[in-house]
Amino acid sequence: MSSGRSRKRGGEPIAIAGISGNLGRLLTRTLHGEHPIIGIDQRPFEEKPKDVTHYQVDARRSRAEDIFRRRDIRALVHLGLVHHPTPGRPNNREWNVLGAVKLLEYCQRYSVPKVVLLSTAYMYGPGPTNSNFLSEDTPLLGAKDYPEMRALIEWDMFAQSFFWKYPAVETVILRPVHVVGPNVRNAPCNYLRMRKPPMLLGFDPMLQLVHENDLIQAILLSLEPGMRGVFNIVGPGEVPLSILLKELGKTPVPIPHPLAKPLATRLWRWGLSKFPPGELPHLRFQCMVDGTRAKEVLGYRPRYNLKRTIHSVLG
Amino acid sequence: MLGKVKDRLLGAIESMTDEEVSEKIRRLDPRLNEFGVDPFGFDPKFVKYGIPFALFLYRKYFRVESVGLSNVPAGRVLLIANHSGQIPLDGAMICVAMIVDAEPPRMVRSMVETWVPTLPVLSWFFPRVGQIVGTRENCQRLLERDAAILAFPEGVRGVSKNFAKRYQLEEFGLGFMRLALRTGAPVVPVAVVGAEEQVPSFYSFKPLAKALGIPAFPITPTFPWLGPLGLLPLPVKYRLHFGKPLHFLGDPDDEDSVVAEKVKQVRRTLQRMIRDGLEARKHVFW
């Protein structure tokens, strides 16, 4: 009986919101063939595999609700929120969050049994009073020096209250550390790909990185029936920023920290730098997390070692 | 160019340490990652850079005598010591003793204040030599990794107490006992005898200390009269007495009054060890 049920489940599609992003395409490559995939994204999906149905819709419109009304969706994976600000482009996170909230509403209304949401360990925020390894219960104070983070934190909090309000939906919230890899174009990767990345004079925080494929593995594990909760996703280890840059063959430019913020803010505003000023505290203080819960509950183990993870930044 | 100068300088500092000590530093922590760092940012290489100066203080200046190092059990342990001397060098001396005179050599970790990560250079130097921000989670995690943790339950009150109050323990905080109960770590009292006379302060000028944002502004026979030089510690002789481990059982989340009883026991033991140490010594300076 159980096998019959699982076959039926295998026939129901997995919806991926934010499928057109780099991580979305990577997840699609991993999943399609084994599972039917539905894509939900306002952006077009270039080089889409044939067996993927892509809906280029705004999640807030009723057309998006129709997807959930008409199809028996097995799980929603939401990747569409965590991307980093780009210079010269308005911050559209607020309405991104509104769309994401709508999608959760559809999941509840049309009894989608599983929701996997990608958040980030940025939520905790770097700071001098941080313990070295923050647990999932740490308050989310990441917007203190990074106002653009506020919408995301509200989204994470909303997802948490959704988790408690609707126990019939298995909700998983993943908070990975800095995601790196050849396909990723986020702030940490942009930083590590700079020819002369800035460092703050006299500061050398410890960092955690996770390989994009390890994050995909964590998402797959979260899709397993029975998994629910908030999980920090860590990589293979911790390393000081200076060693990380040395390993990548970079020559950092030390900047005294009182000058760094005005400098970074101006360069960002003029579109001359790809480094969001809100990221500066990450170069000064640590924001490392404890990945024990994902290890024990999800059975997640990073497969890429520290060296490979670091070098994957350069592809 | 600058890099070369730095390398040569670090090489010179490294060569000041004799082979025996270097060997001991190498044995401190075998659980480092492929870059030679532990998850907390400890890198034995930096101990090597720091130890020549600490060893000078330990062997030549304070001529530290360490007694009872074999009392420190293997595995997780909390070293509880009296804090004193206006300039807190007692922690460093205990760390050096555990590296050069203990067998096997142990890395002692103590906890630093939360303002340390906000200061340039210190922000990374402290973690590299194994000292991390003193939060309960950090301490518990280290004990669970079987570390040796050094704590001064008197806190800064101990460092800044006046000469008249020397060798009288201030009130103890309860945090260390809760951690001992939670992790099952034994408590080893460490009596530091000698340090309390290194900077004899007659009076602490409180308003000035407050204005400067420091815990105390000591008035000594030489400070502030001789400027910063007046704060140079006297070459007293340090004696470190490591006591027998004390084991405690109980609920780590119990009421303060219950935990305080156990803390009192540690405080009494330490006070007795200090008294015995004072009676046994012949002179402050030798």
Side-chain angles (χ1 to χ4, degrees):
Chain A
M1 188 191 115
S2 66
S3 70
R5 194 172 161 203
S6 69
R7 203 179 318 125
K8 185 178 168 277
R9 289 214 141 194
E12 294 162 1
I14 295 174
I16 303 177
I19 198 167
S20 311
N22 294 317
L23 205 56
R25 289 203 299 259
L26 193 62
L27 181 63
T28 308
R29 277 208 294 280
T30 320
L31 280 176
H32 90 100
E34 282 175 57
H35 305 269
I37 304 279
I38 289 177
I40 303 172
D41 202 317
Q42 278 194 292
R43 298 167 287 182
F45 188 172
E46 282 143 25
E47 296 163 44
K48 174 178 79 70
K50 279 201 194 75
D51 53 342
V52 173
T53 322
H54 183 51
Y55 295 92
Q56 209 177 323
V57 293
D58 181 344
R60 294 170 299 170
R61 305 272 169 226
S62 57
R63 265 189 64 210
E65 185 170 1
D66 290 346
I67 306 170
F68 287 80
R69 205 194 316 262
R70 286 181 198 147
R71 306 278 305 254
D72 266 340
I73 288 172
R74 187 188 141 198
L76 169 75
V77 180
H78 202 300
L79 307 170
L81 276 170
V82 179
H83 46 80
H84 291 259
T86 347
R89 208 193 281 173
N91 183 23
N92 50 8
R93 273 180 176 159
E94 275 74 11
W95 61 256
N96 255 350
V97 170
L98 293 178
V101 165
K102 274 283 178 209
L103 288 180
L104 285 188
E105 204 182 299
Y106 307 149
C107 285
Q108 185 262 324
R109 199 174 294 157
Y110 300 102
S111 313
V112 175
K114 167 79 76 181
V115 173
V116 178
L117 307 161
L118 184 66
S119 178
T120 160
Y122 270 66
M123 304 279 168
Y124 305 117
T129 55
N130 276 356
S131 285
N132 280 45
F133 298 97
L134 303 169
S135 78
E136 286 85 350
D137 309 322
T138 312
L140 307 178
L141 304 174
K144 198 163 62 93
D145 300 303
Y146 200 170
E148 291 88 346
M149 212 32 84
R150 192 163 298 128
L152 290 185
I153 290 178
E154 269 153 29
W155 154 242
D156 189 295
M157 305 287 263
F158 182 86
Q160 286 183 62
S161 68
F162 181 84
F163 169 89
W164 291 109
K165 259 197 254 172
Y166 303 108
V169 185
E170 284 177 5
T171 306
V172 179
I173 301 169
L174 299 179
R175 295 191 190 138
V177 295
H178 303 297
V179 183
V180 297
N183 294 299
V184 182
R185 269 201 310 273
N186 56 10
C189 280
N190 290 343
Y191 168 77
L192 293 172
R193 285 173 194 143
M194 282 180 182
R195 221 157 44 83
K196 291 189 177 222
M199 261 180 94
L200 298 181
L201 192 63
F203 293 92
D204 188 10
M206 295 290 288
L207 293 175
Q208 291 169 314
L209 305 176
V210 62
H211 192 279
E212 54 184 25
N213 287 343
D214 279 330
L215 176 59
I216 296 290
Q217 184 211 339
I219 294 172
L220 298 184
L221 289 167
S222 312
L223 283 168
E224 291 293 320
M227 296 303 170
R228 53 166 73 222
V230 186
F231 300 99
N232 290 333
I233 303 297
V234 297
E238 299 74 21
V239 68
L241 177 61
S242 59
I243 290 186
L244 174 60
L245 293 176
K246 200 171 171 189
E247 184 65 23
L248 288 171
K250 305 282 177 181
T251 330
V253 184
I255 299 171
H257 71 272
L259 299 181
K261 201 173 174 190
L263 199 67
T265 314
R266 295 221 162 78
L267 290 178
W268 174 262
R269 205 181 299 142
W270 298 334
L272 293 175
S273 114
K274 279 199 284 181
F275 190 83
E279 302 274 334
L280 276 176
H282 282 277
L283 299 184
R284 190 169 175 204
F285 303 122
Q286 62 188 14
C287 178
M288 297 203 295
V289 298
D290 177 8
T292 315
R293 196 185 281 177
K295 189 173 162 188
E296 283 170 0
V297 180
L298 294 179
Y300 161 78
R301 303 266 189 297
R303 291 190 189 136
Y304 287 76
N305 68 21
L306 204 45
K307 274 219 160 99
R308 274 186 77 192
T309 304
I310 292 173
H311 286 284
S312 74
V313 173
L314 302 182
Chain B
M1 173 65 194
L2 211 64
K4 229 179 223 168
V5 173
K6 195 177 112 195
D7 286 347
R8 191 161 308 160
L9 200 68
L10 290 179
I13 295 174
E14 249 187 282
S15 63
M16 285 163 73
T17 317
D18 54 68
E19 191 42 45
E20 194 197 333
V21 174
S22 307
E23 163 62 22
K24 288 191 165 171
I25 292 171
R26 266 196 294 280
R27 281 162 59 200
L28 282 179
D29 193 345
R31 288 171 303 171
L32 305 173
N33 67 20
E34 56 247 68
F35 296 104
V37 190
D38 91 344
F40 293 86
F42 168 53
D43 184 343
K45 200 166 71 221
F46 286 88
V47 177
K48 255 191 220 168
Y49 300 146
I51 209 150
F53 179 62
L55 259 183
F56 164 76
L57 289 179
Y58 186 82
R59 286 184 174 155
K60 305 272 161 57
Y61 199 79
F62 295 127
R63 294 144 290 130
V64 183
E65 211 175 281
S66 302
V67 186
L69 276 165
S70 57
N71 284 333
V72 181
R76 61 187 71 172
V77 60
L78 268 161
L79 305 176
I80 300 298
N82 53 316
H83 214 1
S84 64
Q86 308 300 332
I87 296 169
L89 292 166
D90 37 12
M93 293 303 106
I94 294 172
C95 288
V96 175
M98 292 284 288
I99 293 173
V100 300
D101 285 341
E103 191 51 53
R106 291 281 302 268
M107 182 65 209
V108 174
R109 291 164 175 270
S110 62
M111 302 278 142
V112 300
E113 301 280 343
T114 50
W115 46 258
V116 167
T118 65
L119 298 176
V121 184
L122 293 187
S123 67
W124 60 261
F125 183 75
F126 274 109
R128 291 305 168 273
V129 295
Q131 319 302 311
I132 58 171
V133 173
T135 67
R136 195 168 54 86
E137 290 84 5
N138 277 347
C139 196
Q140 187 178 334
R141 206 172 284 274
L142 281 167
L143 283 172
E144 280 162 1
R145 276 173 64 98
D146 288 332
I149 303 278
L150 170 63
F152 299 100
E154 292 173 276
V156 78
R157 282 162 303 171
V159 186
S160 54
K161 72 186 151 203
N162 292 337
F163 192 65
K165 289 236 177 138
R166 63 191 184 279
Y167 300 114
Q168 297 167 30
L169 291 174
E170 295 283 324
E171 278 308 308
F172 273 21
L174 306 183
F176 81 91
M177 183 54 71
R178 292 191 191 279
L179 280 162
L181 295 173
R182 184 163 285 125
T183 59
V187 172
V188 170
V190 183
V192 182
V193 176
E196 311 227 359
E197 282 104 351
Q198 70 182 15
V199 179
S201 158
F202 295 113
Y203 178 73
S204 180
F205 195 46
K206 291 227 173 68
L208 193 54
K210 212 173 163 190
L212 293 173
I214 51 176
F217 191 88
I219 309 292
T220 78
T222 51
F223 185 82
W225 331 117
L226 299 181
L229 216 64
L231 265 184
L232 200 72
L234 301 172
V236 292
K237 186 174 172 70
Y238 269 43
R239 290 169 175 86
L240 309 178
H241 299 272
F242 291 80
K244 292 254 178 299
L246 308 168
H247 297 266
F248 294 94
L249 289 174
D251 177 7
D253 297 316
D254 217 330
E255 277 179 42
D256 276 4
S257 60
V258 179
V259 179
E261 261 323 298
K262 301 186 166 81
V263 171
K264 255 188 212 153
Q265 207 181 319
V266 177
R267 187 164 174 265
R268 268 200 307 271
T269 313
L270 188 57
Q271 188 71 72
R272 201 177 51 238
M273 286 168 58
I274 291 173
R275 213 175 41 234
D276 293 350
L278 284 172
E279 274 170 21
R281 79 170 173 182
K282 289 179 219 83
H283 199 277
V284 179
F285 290 104
W286 54 82

